[in-house]
PDB file of all heavy atoms in Angstrom:
ATOM      1  N   VAL A  28      -5.727   3.466  -5.177  1.00  0.00           N
ATOM      2  CA  VAL A  28      -7.180   3.628  -5.273  1.00  0.00           C
ATOM      3  C   VAL A  28      -7.721   4.072  -3.915  1.00  0.00           C
ATOM      4  O   VAL A  28      -7.618   3.331  -2.935  1.00  0.00           O
ATOM      5  CB  VAL A  28      -7.865   2.311  -5.723  1.00  0.00           C
ATOM      6  CG1 VAL A  28      -9.359   2.530  -5.915  1.00  0.00           C
ATOM      7  CG2 VAL A  28      -7.231   1.791  -7.004  1.00  0.00           C
ATOM      8  N   ARG A  29      -8.220   5.283  -3.876  1.00  0.00           N
ATOM      9  CA  ARG A  29      -8.767   5.792  -2.610  1.00  0.00           C
ATOM     10  C   ARG A  29     -10.265   6.025  -2.735  1.00  0.00           C
ATOM     11  O   ARG A  29     -11.037   5.561  -1.924  1.00  0.00           O
ATOM     12  CB  ARG A  29      -8.082   7.101  -2.213  1.00  0.00           C
ATOM     13  CG  ARG A  29      -6.568   6.993  -2.033  1.00  0.00           C
ATOM     14  CD  ARG A  29      -5.991   8.290  -1.494  1.00  0.00           C
ATOM     15  NE  ARG A  29      -4.537   8.245  -1.394  1.00  0.00           N
ATOM     16  CZ  ARG A  29      -3.702   8.631  -2.368  1.00  0.00           C
ATOM     17  NH1 ARG A  29      -4.166   9.091  -3.526  1.00  0.00           N
ATOM     18  NH2 ARG A  29      -2.393   8.571  -2.188  1.00  0.00           N
ATOM     19  N   ARG A  30     -10.663   6.750  -3.784  1.00  0.00           N
ATOM     20  CA  ARG A  30     -12.080   7.115  -3.906  1.00  0.00           C
ATOM     21  C   ARG A  30     -12.910   6.056  -4.606  1.00  0.00           C
ATOM     22  O   ARG A  30     -14.128   6.095  -4.537  1.00  0.00           O
ATOM     23  CB  ARG A  30     -12.219   8.445  -4.642  1.00  0.00           C
ATOM     24  CG  ARG A  30     -12.178   9.604  -3.655  1.00  0.00           C
ATOM     25  CD  ARG A  30     -12.330  10.900  -4.348  1.00  0.00           C
ATOM     26  NE  ARG A  30     -11.091  11.255  -5.008  1.00  0.00           N
ATOM     27  CZ  ARG A  30     -10.696  12.510  -5.211  1.00  0.00           C
ATOM     28  NH1 ARG A  30     -11.459  13.488  -4.805  1.00  0.00           N
ATOM     29  NH2 ARG A  30      -9.562  12.773  -5.795  1.00  0.00           N
ATOM     30  N   ARG A  31     -12.246   5.143  -5.300  1.00  0.00           N
ATOM     31  CA  ARG A  31     -13.017   4.145  -6.043  1.00  0.00           C
ATOM     32  C   ARG A  31     -13.027   2.773  -5.373  1.00  0.00           C
ATOM     33  O   ARG A  31     -13.351   1.772  -6.002  1.00  0.00           O
ATOM     34  CB  ARG A  31     -12.501   4.050  -7.475  1.00  0.00           C
ATOM     35  CG  ARG A  31     -13.014   5.218  -8.346  1.00  0.00           C
ATOM     36  CD  ARG A  31     -12.505   5.121  -9.764  1.00  0.00           C
ATOM     37  NE  ARG A  31     -12.824   3.833 -10.384  1.00  0.00           N
ATOM     38  CZ  ARG A  31     -12.270   3.404 -11.524  1.00  0.00           C
ATOM     39  NH1 ARG A  31     -11.383   4.157 -12.139  1.00  0.00           N
ATOM     40  NH2 ARG A  31     -12.610   2.234 -12.035  1.00  0.00           N
ATOM     41  N   LEU A  32     -12.684   2.726  -4.088  1.00  0.00           N
ATOM     42  CA  LEU A  32     -12.804   1.444  -3.385  1.00  0.00           C
ATOM     43  C   LEU A  32     -14.283   1.221  -3.094  1.00  0.00           C
ATOM     44  O   LEU A  32     -14.966   2.121  -2.591  1.00  0.00           O
ATOM     45  CB  LEU A  32     -12.017   1.473  -2.076  1.00  0.00           C
ATOM     46  CG  LEU A  32     -10.490   1.501  -2.195  1.00  0.00           C
ATOM     47  CD1 LEU A  32      -9.857   1.650  -0.816  1.00  0.00           C
ATOM     48  CD2 LEU A  32      -9.957   0.249  -2.904  1.00  0.00           C
ATOM     49  N   ASP A  33     -14.771   0.028  -3.396  1.00  0.00           N
ATOM     50  CA  ASP A  33     -16.183  -0.291  -3.137  1.00  0.00           C
ATOM     51  C   ASP A  33     -16.329  -0.655  -1.656  1.00  0.00           C
ATOM     52  O   ASP A  33     -15.891  -1.717  -1.217  1.00  0.00           O
ATOM     53  CB  ASP A  33     -16.607  -1.461  -4.034  1.00  0.00           C
ATOM     54  CG  ASP A  33     -18.115  -1.688  -3.978  1.00  0.00           C
ATOM     55  OD1 ASP A  33     -18.741  -1.247  -2.993  1.00  0.00           O
ATOM     56  OD2 ASP A  33     -18.648  -2.308  -4.913  1.00  0.00           O
ATOM     57  N   LEU A  34     -16.943   0.264  -0.919  1.00  0.00           N
ATOM     58  CA  LEU A  34     -17.026   0.086   0.538  1.00  0.00           C
ATOM     59  C   LEU A  34     -18.178  -0.829   0.933  1.00  0.00           C
ATOM     60  O   LEU A  34     -18.294  -1.212   2.095  1.00  0.00           O
ATOM     61  CB  LEU A  34     -17.179   1.461   1.206  1.00  0.00           C
ATOM     62  CG  LEU A  34     -16.081   2.476   0.854  1.00  0.00           C
ATOM     63  CD1 LEU A  34     -16.365   3.826   1.505  1.00  0.00           C
ATOM     64  CD2 LEU A  34     -14.708   1.954   1.268  1.00  0.00           C
ATOM     65  N   SER A  35     -19.009  -1.180  -0.048  1.00  0.00           N
ATOM     66  CA  SER A  35     -20.197  -1.976   0.302  1.00  0.00           C
ATOM     67  C   SER A  35     -20.023  -3.446  -0.074  1.00  0.00           C
ATOM     68  O   SER A  35     -20.888  -4.261   0.201  1.00  0.00           O
ATOM     69  CB  SER A  35     -21.418  -1.406  -0.427  1.00  0.00           C
ATOM     70  OG  SER A  35     -21.205  -1.499  -1.815  1.00  0.00           O
ATOM     71  N   ARG A  36     -18.922  -3.774  -0.699  1.00  0.00           N
ATOM     72  CA  ARG A  36     -18.756  -5.158  -1.180  1.00  0.00           C
ATOM     73  C   ARG A  36     -17.552  -5.812  -0.500  1.00  0.00           C
ATOM     74  O   ARG A  36     -16.415  -5.367  -0.686  1.00  0.00           O
ATOM     75  CB  ARG A  36     -18.553  -5.116  -2.704  1.00  0.00           C
ATOM     76  CG  ARG A  36     -18.381  -6.469  -3.316  1.00  0.00           C
ATOM     77  CD  ARG A  36     -18.319  -6.345  -4.833  1.00  0.00           C
ATOM     78  NE  ARG A  36     -17.949  -7.607  -5.429  1.00  0.00           N
ATOM     79  CZ  ARG A  36     -17.555  -7.761  -6.680  1.00  0.00           C
ATOM     80  NH1 ARG A  36     -17.499  -6.704  -7.482  1.00  0.00           N
ATOM     81  NH2 ARG A  36     -17.223  -8.945  -7.141  1.00  0.00           N
ATOM     82  N   PRO A  37     -17.811  -6.868   0.272  1.00  0.00           N
ATOM     83  CA  PRO A  37     -16.675  -7.522   0.945  1.00  0.00           C
ATOM     84  C   PRO A  37     -15.705  -8.150  -0.048  1.00  0.00           C
ATOM     85  O   PRO A  37     -16.089  -8.462  -1.172  1.00  0.00           O
ATOM     86  CB  PRO A  37     -17.334  -8.627   1.793  1.00  0.00           C
ATOM     87  CG  PRO A  37     -18.793  -8.388   1.734  1.00  0.00           C
ATOM     88  CD  PRO A  37     -19.087  -7.534   0.528  1.00  0.00           C
ATOM     89  N   VAL A  38     -14.487  -8.317   0.388  1.00  0.00           N
ATOM     90  CA  VAL A  38     -13.497  -9.057  -0.408  1.00  0.00           C
ATOM     91  C   VAL A  38     -13.313 -10.409   0.271  1.00  0.00           C
ATOM     92  O   VAL A  38     -13.073 -10.469   1.484  1.00  0.00           O
ATOM     93  CB  VAL A  38     -12.151  -8.305  -0.464  1.00  0.00           C
ATOM     94  CG1 VAL A  38     -11.130  -9.100  -1.268  1.00  0.00           C
ATOM     95  CG2 VAL A  38     -12.332  -6.921  -1.077  1.00  0.00           C
ATOM     96  N   SER A  39     -13.428 -11.480  -0.502  1.00  0.00           N
ATOM     97  CA  SER A  39     -13.389 -12.803   0.128  1.00  0.00           C
ATOM     98  C   SER A  39     -11.978 -13.105   0.656  1.00  0.00           C
ATOM     99  O   SER A  39     -10.973 -12.681   0.067  1.00  0.00           O
ATOM    100  CB  SER A  39     -13.843 -13.884  -0.847  1.00  0.00           C
ATOM    101  OG  SER A  39     -12.798 -14.220  -1.731  1.00  0.00           O
ATOM    102  N   ARG A  40     -11.961 -13.846   1.728  1.00  0.00           N
ATOM    103  CA  ARG A  40     -10.654 -14.237   2.294  1.00  0.00           C
ATOM    104  C   ARG A  40      -9.830 -15.077   1.312  1.00  0.00           C
ATOM    105  O   ARG A  40      -8.618 -14.855   1.188  1.00  0.00           O
ATOM    106  CB  ARG A  40     -10.864 -14.971   3.620  1.00  0.00           C
ATOM    107  CG  ARG A  40     -11.269 -14.022   4.729  1.00  0.00           C
ATOM    108  CD  ARG A  40     -11.350 -14.735   6.056  1.00  0.00           C
ATOM    109  NE  ARG A  40     -11.579 -13.770   7.140  1.00  0.00           N
ATOM    110  CZ  ARG A  40     -11.571 -14.070   8.424  1.00  0.00           C
ATOM    111  NH1 ARG A  40     -11.330 -15.318   8.803  1.00  0.00           N
ATOM    112  NH2 ARG A  40     -11.779 -13.139   9.329  1.00  0.00           N
ATOM    113  N   PRO A  41     -10.446 -16.046   0.595  1.00  0.00           N
ATOM    114  CA  PRO A  41      -9.629 -16.805  -0.369  1.00  0.00           C
ATOM    115  C   PRO A  41      -8.986 -15.914  -1.431  1.00  0.00           C
ATOM    116  O   PRO A  41      -7.841 -16.139  -1.836  1.00  0.00           O
ATOM    117  CB  PRO A  41     -10.637 -17.780  -1.002  1.00  0.00           C
ATOM    118  CG  PRO A  41     -11.709 -17.935   0.026  1.00  0.00           C
ATOM    119  CD  PRO A  41     -11.803 -16.609   0.735  1.00  0.00           C
ATOM    120  N   LEU A  42      -9.700 -14.867  -1.855  1.00  0.00           N
ATOM    121  CA  LEU A  42      -9.129 -13.971  -2.867  1.00  0.00           C
ATOM    122  C   LEU A  42      -7.937 -13.204  -2.291  1.00  0.00           C
ATOM    123  O   LEU A  42      -6.890 -13.055  -2.939  1.00  0.00           O
ATOM    124  CB  LEU A  42     -10.226 -13.007  -3.355  1.00  0.00           C
ATOM    125  CG  LEU A  42      -9.878 -12.088  -4.521  1.00  0.00           C
ATOM    126  CD1 LEU A  42      -9.359 -12.879  -5.719  1.00  0.00           C
ATOM    127  CD2 LEU A  42     -11.098 -11.256  -4.930  1.00  0.00           C
ATOM    128  N   LEU A  43      -8.076 -12.743  -1.062  1.00  0.00           N
ATOM    129  CA  LEU A  43      -6.968 -12.027  -0.420  1.00  0.00           C
ATOM    130  C   LEU A  43      -5.775 -12.964  -0.223  1.00  0.00           C
ATOM    131  O   LEU A  43      -4.618 -12.594  -0.473  1.00  0.00           O
ATOM    132  CB  LEU A  43      -7.413 -11.470   0.937  1.00  0.00           C
ATOM    133  CG  LEU A  43      -8.390 -10.293   0.870  1.00  0.00           C
ATOM    134  CD1 LEU A  43      -9.073 -10.089   2.220  1.00  0.00           C
ATOM    135  CD2 LEU A  43      -7.664  -9.021   0.436  1.00  0.00           C
ATOM    136  N   ALA A  44      -6.075 -14.193   0.193  1.00  0.00           N
ATOM    137  CA  ALA A  44      -4.997 -15.163   0.433  1.00  0.00           C
ATOM    138  C   ALA A  44      -4.279 -15.498  -0.875  1.00  0.00           C
ATOM    139  O   ALA A  44      -3.052 -15.655  -0.905  1.00  0.00           O
ATOM    140  CB  ALA A  44      -5.569 -16.424   1.079  1.00  0.00           C
ATOM    141  N   GLU A  45      -5.049 -15.592  -1.965  1.00  0.00           N
ATOM    142  CA  GLU A  45      -4.452 -15.890  -3.274  1.00  0.00           C
ATOM    143  C   GLU A  45      -3.452 -14.786  -3.670  1.00  0.00           C
ATOM    144  O   GLU A  45      -2.353 -15.072  -4.140  1.00  0.00           O
ATOM    145  CB  GLU A  45      -5.592 -15.949  -4.287  1.00  0.00           C
ATOM    146  CG  GLU A  45      -5.254 -16.520  -5.627  1.00  0.00           C
ATOM    147  CD  GLU A  45      -6.528 -16.620  -6.479  1.00  0.00           C
ATOM    148  OE1 GLU A  45      -7.437 -17.406  -6.113  1.00  0.00           O
ATOM    149  OE2 GLU A  45      -6.613 -15.887  -7.477  1.00  0.00           O
ATOM    150  N   CYS A  46      -3.836 -13.542  -3.442  1.00  0.00           N
ATOM    151  CA  CYS A  46      -2.946 -12.420  -3.790  1.00  0.00           C
ATOM    152  C   CYS A  46      -1.700 -12.439  -2.912  1.00  0.00           C
ATOM    153  O   CYS A  46      -0.584 -12.187  -3.380  1.00  0.00           O
ATOM    154  CB  CYS A  46      -3.681 -11.086  -3.640  1.00  0.00           C
ATOM    155  SG  CYS A  46      -5.080 -10.915  -4.755  1.00  0.00           S
ATOM    156  N   LEU A  47      -1.881 -12.742  -1.632  1.00  0.00           N
ATOM    157  CA  LEU A  47      -0.726 -12.783  -0.729  1.00  0.00           C
ATOM    158  C   LEU A  47       0.183 -13.962  -1.070  1.00  0.00           C
ATOM    159  O   LEU A  47       1.410 -13.853  -1.006  1.00  0.00           O
ATOM    160  CB  LEU A  47      -1.191 -12.856   0.726  1.00  0.00           C
ATOM    161  CG  LEU A  47      -1.662 -11.519   1.304  1.00  0.00           C
ATOM    162  CD1 LEU A  47      -2.364 -11.700   2.637  1.00  0.00           C
ATOM    163  CD2 LEU A  47      -0.490 -10.534   1.452  1.00  0.00           C
ATOM    164  N   GLN A  48      -0.436 -15.077  -1.441  1.00  0.00           N
ATOM    165  CA  GLN A  48       0.359 -16.253  -1.824  1.00  0.00           C
ATOM    166  C   GLN A  48       1.294 -15.913  -2.989  1.00  0.00           C
ATOM    167  O   GLN A  48       2.461 -16.275  -2.997  1.00  0.00           O
ATOM    168  CB  GLN A  48      -0.594 -17.393  -2.212  1.00  0.00           C
ATOM    169  CG  GLN A  48       0.092 -18.666  -2.653  1.00  0.00           C
ATOM    170  CD  GLN A  48       0.896 -19.301  -1.519  1.00  0.00           C
ATOM    171  OE1 GLN A  48       0.326 -19.716  -0.516  1.00  0.00           O
ATOM    172  NE2 GLN A  48       2.212 -19.342  -1.662  1.00  0.00           N
ATOM    173  N   LEU A  49       0.772 -15.186  -3.955  1.00  0.00           N
ATOM    174  CA  LEU A  49       1.603 -14.771  -5.095  1.00  0.00           C
ATOM    175  C   LEU A  49       2.691 -13.803  -4.640  1.00  0.00           C
ATOM    176  O   LEU A  49       3.834 -13.859  -5.100  1.00  0.00           O
ATOM    177  CB  LEU A  49       0.720 -14.121  -6.168  1.00  0.00           C
ATOM    178  CG  LEU A  49      -0.208 -15.099  -6.895  1.00  0.00           C
ATOM    179  CD1 LEU A  49      -1.318 -14.355  -7.631  1.00  0.00           C
ATOM    180  CD2 LEU A  49       0.594 -15.961  -7.861  1.00  0.00           C
ATOM    181  N   ALA A  50       2.332 -12.915  -3.708  1.00  0.00           N
ATOM    182  CA  ALA A  50       3.276 -11.894  -3.238  1.00  0.00           C
ATOM    183  C   ALA A  50       4.497 -12.515  -2.559  1.00  0.00           C
ATOM    184  O   ALA A  50       5.598 -11.948  -2.581  1.00  0.00           O
ATOM    185  CB  ALA A  50       2.565 -10.936  -2.288  1.00  0.00           C
ATOM    186  N   LEU A  51       4.300 -13.688  -1.967  1.00  0.00           N
ATOM    187  CA  LEU A  51       5.404 -14.322  -1.236  1.00  0.00           C
ATOM    188  C   LEU A  51       6.569 -14.728  -2.142  1.00  0.00           C
ATOM    189  O   LEU A  51       7.639 -15.063  -1.654  1.00  0.00           O
ATOM    190  CB  LEU A  51       4.904 -15.560  -0.481  1.00  0.00           C
ATOM    191  CG  LEU A  51       3.857 -15.321   0.606  1.00  0.00           C
ATOM    192  CD1 LEU A  51       3.579 -16.612   1.361  1.00  0.00           C
ATOM    193  CD2 LEU A  51       4.324 -14.242   1.581  1.00  0.00           C
ATOM    194  N   HIS A  52       6.340 -14.706  -3.445  1.00  0.00           N
ATOM    195  CA  HIS A  52       7.421 -15.081  -4.371  1.00  0.00           C
ATOM    196  C   HIS A  52       8.325 -13.906  -4.720  1.00  0.00           C
ATOM    197  O   HIS A  52       9.249 -14.043  -5.529  1.00  0.00           O
ATOM    198  CB  HIS A  52       6.826 -15.708  -5.634  1.00  0.00           C
ATOM    199  CG  HIS A  52       6.195 -17.033  -5.344  1.00  0.00           C
ATOM    200  ND1 HIS A  52       6.887 -18.214  -5.344  1.00  0.00           N
ATOM    201  CD2 HIS A  52       4.935 -17.341  -4.964  1.00  0.00           C
ATOM    202  CE1 HIS A  52       6.087 -19.208  -5.006  1.00  0.00           C
ATOM    203  NE2 HIS A  52       4.889 -18.698  -4.766  1.00  0.00           N
ATOM    204  N   ALA A  53       8.085 -12.771  -4.118  1.00  0.00           N
ATOM    205  CA  ALA A  53       8.895 -11.583  -4.416  1.00  0.00           C
ATOM    206  C   ALA A  53      10.312 -11.746  -3.869  1.00  0.00           C
ATOM    207  O   ALA A  53      10.541 -12.477  -2.901  1.00  0.00           O
ATOM    208  CB  ALA A  53       8.242 -10.355  -3.791  1.00  0.00           C
TER     209      ALA A  53
END
Side-chain angles (χ1 to χ4, degrees):
V28 184
R29 301 186 184 91
R30 271 181 284 210
R31 282 180 55 193
L32 290 175
D33 189 339
L34 305 177
S35 61
R36 180 175 171 194
V38 179
S39 80
R40 286 185 173 187
L42 186 54
L43 289 163
E45 192 175 295
C46 297
L47 282 169
Q48 179 65 64
L49 290 163
L51 297 186
H52 292 273

